[in-house]
Amino acid sequence: MRISIRTPSPATIVTPFKRALLWLLVPTMLALPTLGAAEPRTYHIDPAHFSVSFSVDHVDYADVIGLFLEAEGEFVYDEQRQTLASGSATIQADSLFTNHQRRDEHVKDDDFLDVDRYPTIEFVADELTGVEDNRGTLTGNLTLLGETRPVTLDVRLNKADRYPFGHEKHTLGISATTELNRSEWGMDYAVDNGLVGDTVAVRLEFEAIRQPE
């Protein structure tokens, strides 16, 4: 009579030492963060590097170019996934500058911005979509003259890296552009007679500093 003994393969043998080692490693592995996990972070726009400019046609001769000199904002963004959780920006309407005092005073009065009644221009971001080659589309709502309307901006994500001097913190650089028809917000002065264009081209350039966790 033959007696055959089947020897388990080495792969199926778990020694008491190996079993104990597995029990030690499993909780540790579970506690480790997943590589490449999404990590939305808060970014504050650096007021020293926040430029808000606009241009509008003047009697078909040339565009008037202006700036808002005071603005602030922040957003929550996941750099890896290139997704936006939230964001907002506030522009001080009285900080308008077109390099001509009388014109500035006129644009600030109730023909245009009516800064005494509406001291701020507010933008609240909704969603960043279609990001490809660091370009995407940002939708949100703009409140101007007490009216809130949806707007869409073309966004370019320029650079994300540690700042090379100064604060030396991780910084994201962004460019954004859009066009608005100011009459949609009730700013229709000089539109019908063609003295001032209805379409306003808006450009934003800013650097945003990632905040500590």
Side-chain angles (χ1 to χ4, degrees):
M1 180 174 65
R2 283 186 173 181
I3 299 175
S4 62
I5 299 175
R6 298 180 63 185
T7 304
S9 65
T12 64
I13 298 175
V14 179
T15 66
F17 173 76
K18 289 183 178 179
R19 186 179 294 110
L21 185 61
L22 285 172
W23 279 108
L24 287 172
L25 287 177
V26 168
T28 303
M29 293 174 67
L30 291 175
L32 291 174
T34 304
L35 184 63
E39 189 181 5
R41 297 286 294 273
T42 298
Y43 294 76
H44 289 174
I45 298 177
D46 182 358
H49 297 95
F50 192 1
S51 299
V52 182
S53 66
F54 65 89
S55 61
V56 60
D57 175 71
H58 182 245
V59 207
D60 290 334
Y61 286 110
D63 282 0
V64 171
I65 298 174
L67 295 168
F68 289 98
L69 303 180
E70 297 179 20
E72 61 183 5
E74 68 175 32
F75 53 92
V76 179
Y77 177 68
D78 184 333
E79 279 191 35
Q80 183 179 339
R81 293 188 175 183
Q82 295 185 311
T83 56
L84 184 74
S86 63
S88 63
T90 300
I91 299 167
Q92 300 299 320
D94 190 50
S95 69
L96 174 132
F97 172 78
T98 67
N99 200 33
H100 189 279
Q101 183 176 352
R102 288 183 60 188
R103 178 171 56 227
D104 289 356
E105 291 171 353
H106 185 197
V107 177
K108 292 177 185 180
D109 74 18
D110 57 6
D111 283 339
F112 292 95
L113 290 174
D114 199 359
V115 300
D116 290 335
R117 292 181 62 194
Y118 306 104
T120 61
I121 301 168
E122 309 278 348
F123 173 75
V124 177
D126 181 21
E127 187 179 17
L128 178 65
T129 59
V131 179
E132 186 175 350
D133 295 329
N134 290 328
R135 293 179 180 268
T137 300
L138 177 65
T139 56
N141 288 290
L142 179 69
T143 300
L144 173 65
L145 296 176
E147 299 286 337
T148 302
R149 299 281 185 272
V151 295
T152 300
L153 297 92
D154 295 323
V155 173
R156 184 178 72 225
L157 308 171
N158 298 318
K159 183 177 181 179
D161 205 347
R162 181 180 177 181
Y163 215 62
F165 49 82
H167 56 72
E168 297 185 344
K169 297 178 182 178
H170 186 86
T171 301
L172 178 62
I174 295 178
S175 303
T177 59
T178 190
E179 288 189 348
L180 311 173
N181 290 327
R182 60 188 177 91
S183 61
E184 293 183 12
W185 282 264
M187 191 191 300
D188 53 12
Y189 176 84
V191 170
D192 289 342
N193 60 17
L195 293 180
V196 181
D198 188 16
T199 301
V200 181
V202 179
R203 178 178 175 180
L204 299 94
E205 299 283 341
F206 58 88
E207 299 173 6
I209 302 171
R210 191 170 69 190
Q211 301 303 295
E213 292 183 278

